[in-house]
Amino acid sequence: MSAPEPFQAIVVGGGLVGSAIAWGLAREGLRCVLLDEGDIAFRASRGNFGLVWAQSKGQGAPHYQRWTRYSANAWPELAQELAAAVGADVGLHQPGGVHLCLSDKEMADRSDRMAQMAREAGNSLPFHYRMIEAAELREMLPALGPSVVGASFTPYDGHVDPLRLLHALHRAFTSAGGVYVPNAKVERSNAAPHDFRVFAAGRVFEAPRVVLAAGLGNAALAPEFGLSAPVRPQQGQVLVTERVAPIFTMPTTSVRQTMQGSLLLGDSVAEVGYDISQKPAVMAEIAKRAVLSFPFIARLNIVRAWSALRIMPKDGVAIYDQSERFPGAYTANCHSGVTLAGAHARLLAPMIAAGQLDGMMDSFSARRFDVRDAA
Amino acid sequence: MYATRPEARPATVEVFVDGVAVRVPAGASAAAAVLLAGSAAIRETAVTGAPRLPYCMMGVCFDCLAEVDGAANVQACMVPVVAGMRISRQAGARDALMPEAGR
Amino acid sequence: MSFDLAVIGAGPAGMAAAVEARALGLAVLVVDEQPAPGGQVFRSVEAAHGDAVLGAEYSAGLGLVESFRRSGATYRPGTTLWHLDPDSGEMSLTPGGPAVARRVLLATGAQERPVPILGWTLPGVMGMGAAQIMLKTAGAVPSGQVVLAGQGPLLWLLAAQLKRAGAAPALILETTPKGRLAAAFRAGGWFSGRGLLLKGLGLLRETRGLPVVRAVTGLRAEGEGRVQRVVWDGGSADCDTLLLHEGVVPATHIPLALGLEHAWDVRQQCWRPVVDVHGASSHDRVAVAGDGAGIGGWQAAVASGQLAALDAAHRLGRLTAEGLAQRAAPVRRMQAEALALRPFLDALYAPSAAVLAPPDDQVLVCRCEEVTAGQVRAAARLGAQGPNQAKTFLRSGMGACQGRMCGATVARIIAESRGVTPETVAPLRPRAPYKPLTVAQLAGL
Ligand SMILES: Cc1cc2nc3c(=O)[nH]c(=O)nc-3n(C[C@H](O)[C@H](O)[C@H](O)COP(=O)(O)OP(=O)(O)OC[C@H]3O[C@@H](n4cnc5c(N)ncnc54)[C@H](O)[C@@H]3O)c2cc1C
Ligand code: FES
């Protein structure tokens, strides 16, 4: 075994969550190593829909709603700093976004949901939304289908090119002196307070901080550091059309136009464990809904499609923790790594660099599950 | 640039390539018709607008994407010609909202 | 619709499998995206067999097509398989509805190995296979200054066919390095494969007199808006049509998407699905036959198709183990004979390093998304370990061809940059739909 390589922080996981935190730490001046798997792995970062989306996050969990809003607010700064650091254009566009409703019932349910979000937001960071009827919506979005009865709108939403984002985070991290190590699945580790050793790729990495951001891998890694990360895979399938000339001025939750011009149609939800096989019946459902929303889509060619696994915490709300047994060890687990990249790079990373999670993060601790399970 | 050999395969099917009538043998593909018409390009790429002509003629490369009878981005090497077929250049990303002719 | 055996591809392998399986009483479906049976080697043979320019071997394909037409297999031409669930045997087909089969045989053949050189995206640059398809499907020949560049049996076959058609190429640029013939003889097989070898020598005789430059390196195409010149180390020539060829490779798109086990073929420098003597793959419902399981030519494809059909009949309880052994024996002898010359050909026409991974950073490796070799090298330096990561960074493989043209090149460049052997870098993992289809088709509207 080679000699231990000392760093100020080890981040495990080179997906969107790990890369955003690693970039944030590197920007704080920490000498940081980012350990990642190889060419083929379960990677939600490669399979997501690319929305920066606040309008439906954190229903029933006001702290999560707030955190998501903070992140949406931090996003323009993140985009600017990535542009400044490595000249990357991640294609951030935050004009607000809509969720289309295809029946009166969907419209009524959505309206209730938005009202609850607004109630839970309170006054410190109010939640502004509008339910938009079909006639007005038709002015906003071209070629809307007759089945669309309306939509909810919030001004916070937007989208990015998630692959450019991942690439940009890696480049920014590396250019700030960060060390990226691929093919480095963690083999084993030693934990002591503020003193960690991680064995991977035939090397030993040593640091007073370790951040577990290994997506679904966190479930198995966390206990080694006195942490818990109850996350499960949740499958989502997405369809991509050929490039078309620009038509959409804003994203929707099920159809968005990428900066290259393709339409992304999505995304399904299925609890099927570690299964990324594609199901034609599910793909057909996505296609049908897209056509009901925008009939012209029927004519477009699907050039790609995929199935990927979301990282879903037990209750759907993100989990952030610092280990009580081994201070210096952190976990970050969430489903919405694109939306939360702003918060991860600009809010969470500085807390980790400073050695203390802010009080507002307490509600995100996995200890909430112990309490609930005990009750 | 391609030429037919009428002694082997008479050119019996009339199609229109960018509006110009061309006669090609039955069994030829729409992409073959474009090559026989001597067109400078069958498509312009959506990325840089570079001109392309068919490369593989066997359904692999997708450099033969063209507008066939009003449908955009059709793999022209996989579509046999029929009399009266209209084949035109696919210029960059398609206009998704444009209604298709004849549909 | 439910079948005992579904065959994807109506080339020599698929047609032979269908004929054999029907003779054993199986309910057989054959799907092919082409409008007529024949595959690539016998494309349009029903329409073009009378064209003497194509040669006697081509016309011989007619017999195979006729027995396939008579076999009683359900044949769906012009139909594309866009998804297969190997566990259930459900096939999504377009146009038309789905089908189910107890056993599925992939006989999807080969594609020409991409030849990424500077200028290969210019209009007027094509594969030699493409020119041959023009000849088979439309009787058409390239006109003006035609240059053939590359290597392999197809080069000499095409040169002879064009010459017969009165459209002899102006120039042949052969890329086979000096000294290869000796290596090829050392690889062996030439004696048992002497039948094919004699055919090849016949082609060489027929094309004698055509201008040939040998051991060509540094090939590139130049021109404004289309190819006007071909340039190589030490020479250049005017050119209206440049036809490239560096052999063919198995079409692994569907087998890889299915997650079948693959092995690196050192001799042919490509991935191929791992199959047993009967073509059975690592998935117990799926077999692969013909060039799709490793390049062998049409006679070997016929044999492997028959073996896969016999195996299917045995697995479905229509043929005893002894029956299988008995019937397979002569077919396997035929297959061995057809493959005898392969080691010789593979050694003679091994692609150069520059074809597999273009050294010039300016070369476009991904034709669809227009990604250069230099960009791939930069991604590799940043840590991209293989084509799947490179795809997310660069979009190489995200275009309409879904990586069929760039996947192998990107993987090879990354292997070189990482300093590892090609088999260390796993291939691009394709997904359904295997070919683009419209949203309406997908929705079943
Ligand atoms: C351009 C070219 C020229 C060649 N010339 C010669 C030659 O002169 N002599 C020689 O011995 N060998 C030649 N070969 C090799 C020869 O073609 C093969 O050895 C032989 O055809 C292999 O037979 P096959 O049945 O495996 O594949 P193929 O003949 O390639 O047949 C495969 C079939 O599968 C179909 N298919 C593929 N994907 C799908 C899908 N998703 N859905 C539905 N259908 C699908 C294709 O349309 C095709 O018809 C040539 C190869 C090429 C590419
Ligand atoms: S020419 Fe290559 S796909 Fe049509």
Side-chain angles (χ1 to χ4, degrees):
Chain A
M1 187 64 65
S2 48
E5 301 171 50
F7 286 90
Q8 289 171 294
I10 300 167
V11 178
V12 182
L16 280 173
V17 176
S19 306
I21 296 171
W23 157 239
L25 293 176
R27 196 201 43 202
E28 295 288 313
L30 264 59
R31 215 181 107 65
C32 188
V33 63
L34 179 59
L35 306 180
D36 201 5
E37 287 186 80
D39 191 48
I40 294 167
F42 286 116
R43 282 180 205 272
S45 300
R46 287 187 195 168
N48 65 71
F49 204 67
L51 293 175
V52 173
W53 210 253
Q55 79 167 262
S56 39
K57 300 275 165 56
Q59 185 186 19
H63 58 291
Y64 189 37
Q65 182 188 147
R66 216 172 306 121
W67 182 241
T68 304
R69 290 281 303 283
Y70 287 156
S71 194
N73 290 346
W75 243 108
E77 291 152 25
L78 175 62
Q80 276 161 23
E81 84 191 12
L82 289 173
V86 287
D89 174 8
V90 299
L92 176 69
H93 184 219
Q94 267 178 304
V98 293
H99 175 86
L100 302 179
C101 299
L102 300 187
S103 67
D104 292 331
K105 174 158 192 322
E106 278 185 27
M107 190 74 174
D109 289 352
R110 190 70 183 178
S111 181
D112 290 349
R113 183 167 181 167
M114 292 294 102
Q116 185 187 342
M117 294 277 292
R119 264 196 317 278
E120 289 170 352
N123 296 329
S124 59
L125 188 63
F127 179 83
H128 297 295
Y129 75 97
R130 285 183 58 214
M131 297 306 295
I132 301 176
E133 298 293 330
E136 186 187 345
L137 197 57
R138 271 169 231 288
E139 312 260 294
M140 297 164 62
L141 291 165
L144 213 54
S147 323
V148 179
V149 300
S152 60
F153 169 88
T154 60
Y156 322 112
D157 305 319
H159 53 162
V160 296
D161 181 329
L163 300 176
R164 285 202 184 188
L165 171 62
L166 185 62
H167 195 195
L169 287 168
H170 277 209
R171 280 161 56 207
F173 171 70
T174 308
S175 75
V179 176
Y180 175 72
V181 187
N183 290 326
K185 192 171 174 155
V186 174
E187 289 143 23
R188 68 196 169 86
S189 55
N190 297 337
H194 302 294
D195 181 12
F196 302 96
R197 277 188 180 198
V198 172
F199 301 77
R203 293 159 68 174
V204 192
F205 304 93
E206 206 174 59
R209 289 177 200 79
V210 62
V211 182
L212 305 180
L216 292 165
N218 265 9
L221 279 175
E224 298 183 32
F225 297 86
L227 288 157
S228 120
V231 289
R232 67 170 193 282
Q234 184 190 65
Q235 193 204 60
Q237 297 185 46
V238 174
L239 312 177
V240 188
T241 74
E242 63 201 326
R243 296 178 190 229
V244 297
I247 30 181
F248 288 129
T249 49
M250 64 172 60
T252 82
T253 41
S254 56
V255 179
R256 76 174 187 91
Q257 185 165 30
T258 68
M259 62 190 295
Q260 290 82 15
S262 295
L263 302 192
L264 245 52
L265 316 180
D267 43 353
S268 60
V269 173
E271 301 289 347
V272 289
Y274 285 89
D275 177 0
I276 51 165
S277 63
Q278 297 168 279
K279 297 285 178 239
V282 176
M283 296 164 79
E285 274 314 306
I286 296 172
K288 276 183 201 147
R289 193 171 170 98
V291 172
L292 285 177
S293 306
F294 301 99
F296 75 85
I297 288 179
R299 294 196 296 264
L300 303 187
N301 287 302
I302 299 290
V303 292
R304 283 183 295 132
W306 65 78
S307 158
L309 300 179
R310 300 186 186 89
I311 297 114
M312 201 44 84
K314 217 166 160 182
D315 57 0
V317 176
I319 303 170
Y320 304 103
D321 254 329
Q322 176 165 199
S323 176
E324 285 177 338
R325 228 171 107 209
F326 305 116
Y330 300 82
T331 53
N333 312 271
C334 68
H335 154 51
S336 306
V338 180
T339 303
L340 295 176
H344 290 159
R346 300 192 53 88
L347 302 175
L348 181 62
M351 297 180 205
I352 292 173
Q356 187 69 51
L357 293 187
D358 196 284
M360 74 172 171
M361 306 303 283
D362 287 352
S363 337
F364 288 108
S365 168
R367 289 186 292 275
R368 68 184 184 260
F369 300 113
D370 311 340
V371 174
R372 212 170 291 164
D373 292 346
Chain B
M1 283 186 284
Y2 278 78
T4 54
R5 293 162 45 245
E7 71 283 9
R9 302 286 295 281
T12 54
V13 183
E14 186 175 75
V15 299
F16 299 88
V17 176
D18 286 323
V20 179
V22 191
R23 284 184 162 275
V24 302
S29 65
V34 171
L35 290 171
L36 286 167
S39 303
I42 193 167
R43 73 175 187 122
E44 284 150 16
T45 64
V47 180
T48 62
R52 295 282 170 88
L53 277 176
Y55 179 83
C56 76
M57 294 298 279
M58 51 187 285
V60 174
C61 73
F62 289 77
D63 256 325
C64 61
L65 296 176
E67 241 178 77
V68 177
D69 287 338
N73 278 338
V74 172
Q75 204 178 10
C77 75
M78 303 298 284
V79 184
V81 290
V82 293
M85 179 180 268
R86 298 187 165 272
I87 308 152
S88 45
R89 190 181 296 194
Q90 182 73 49
R94 69 189 282 182
D95 177 354
L97 297 181
M98 200 178 64
E100 280 175 30
R103 296 206 175 190
Chain C
M1 290 289 273
S2 175
F3 296 88
D4 295 321
L5 174 67
V7 180
I8 313 302
M15 291 191 293
V19 170
E20 189 75 35
R22 283 296 302 141
L24 291 159
L26 270 56
V28 179
L29 169 69
V30 177
V31 171
D32 195 303
E33 48 183 7
Q34 295 296 338
Q40 301 307 347
V41 62
F42 301 131
R43 271 288 278 278
S44 300
V45 69
E46 289 164 305
H49 64 91
D51 188 349
V53 154
L54 289 162
E57 190 174 4
Y58 174 72
S59 306
L62 188 61
L64 191 54
V65 170
E66 283 170 349
S67 47
F68 166 64
R69 290 272 194 196
R70 280 196 307 268
S71 70
T74 302
Y75 172 44
R76 284 175 65 175
T79 304
T80 302
L81 174 78
W82 64 265
H83 180 267
L84 165 66
D85 182 340
D87 297 333
S88 69
E90 279 170 66
M91 293 168 283
S92 305
L93 301 166
T94 186
V100 180
R102 296 167 71 191
R103 193 148 183 83
V104 179
L105 174 62
L106 302 176
T108 53
Q111 67 171 72
E112 285 191 275
R113 189 193 295 279
V115 187
I117 58 171
L118 271 181
W120 71 313
T121 53
L122 286 173
V125 182
M126 294 176 93
M128 287 185 205
Q132 212 189 30
I133 288 167
M134 285 296 283
L135 199 51
K136 290 171 182 170
T137 58
V141 289
S143 51
Q145 286 278 116
V146 179
V147 178
L148 270 49
Q151 57 175 347
L154 181 63
L155 185 155
W156 298 109
L157 175 60
L158 181 65
Q161 290 170 330
L162 293 178
K163 191 175 174 197
R164 287 175 209 152
L171 178 63
I172 294 175
L173 301 171
E174 200 186 30
T175 53
T176 310
K178 290 208 174 67
R180 273 289 175 74
L181 200 56
F185 276 109
R186 278 198 303 280
W190 56 273
F191 187 73
S192 22
R194 61 191 180 280
L196 279 176
L197 195 57
L198 284 175
K199 254 186 240 165
L201 290 175
L203 291 176
L204 288 180
R205 235 189 340 268
E206 210 183 330
T207 50
R208 200 175 294 154
L210 295 179
V212 181
V213 181
R214 299 198 189 270
V216 163
T217 57
L219 204 60
R220 63 180 193 271
E222 292 181 352
E224 283 302 315
R226 62 164 298 116
V227 61
Q228 291 164 324
R229 242 173 348 274
V230 55
V231 181
W232 63 96
D233 292 339
S236 77
D238 289 346
C239 162
D240 299 308
T241 300
L242 175 61
L243 301 175
L244 302 172
H245 185 73
E246 287 284 345
V248 297
V249 291
T252 47
H253 203 70
I254 297 173
L256 283 172
L258 294 178
L260 302 185
E261 194 186 319
H262 280 65
W264 178 253
D265 188 323
V266 179
R267 273 181 14 207
Q268 301 184 341
Q269 294 290 306
C270 59
W271 290 96
R272 57 176 169 74
V274 174
V275 293
D276 71 7
V277 292
H278 298 118
S281 77
S282 58
H283 191 287
D284 62 10
R285 190 188 297 269
V286 181
V288 189
D291 273 5
I295 303 304
W298 74 269
Q299 280 138 322
V302 166
S304 68
Q306 289 169 341
L307 290 172
L310 292 171
D311 189 42
H314 171 59
R315 284 166 188 258
L316 299 177
R318 307 289 177 81
L319 191 61
T320 60
E322 299 78 61
L324 171 62
Q326 205 172 31
R327 285 170 189 249
V331 183
R332 289 181 60 184
R333 274 197 298 279
M334 199 173 87
Q335 187 183 35
E337 215 171 287
L339 290 173
L341 195 62
R342 271 295 135 190
F344 176 88
L345 289 176
D346 292 341
L348 183 59
Y349 295 129
S352 71
V355 165
L356 298 169
D360 188 327
D361 274 347
Q362 302 304 314
V363 174
L364 279 185
V365 296
C366 171
R367 298 172 64 99
C368 299
E369 293 290 328
E370 306 188 41
V371 179
T372 64
Q375 286 175 284
V376 176
R377 289 196 177 89
R381 280 195 296 275
L382 197 66
Q385 295 296 290
N388 296 292
Q389 258 169 323
K391 174 177 165 184
T392 66
F393 284 177
L394 303 172
R395 303 184 61 81
S396 47
M398 278 197 193
C401 93
Q402 302 172 326
R404 287 171 169 85
M405 295 299 287
C406 68
T409 312
V410 170
R412 186 70 171 217
I413 292 174
I414 292 176
E416 273 188 15
S417 306
R418 288 177 54 197
V420 298
T421 54
E423 63 267 32
T424 317
V425 177
L428 191 65
R429 168 125 191 237
R431 301 295 206 124
Y434 308 142
K435 284 269 176 104
L437 74 169
T438 66
V439 175
Q441 286 170 327
L442 179 55
L445 296 173

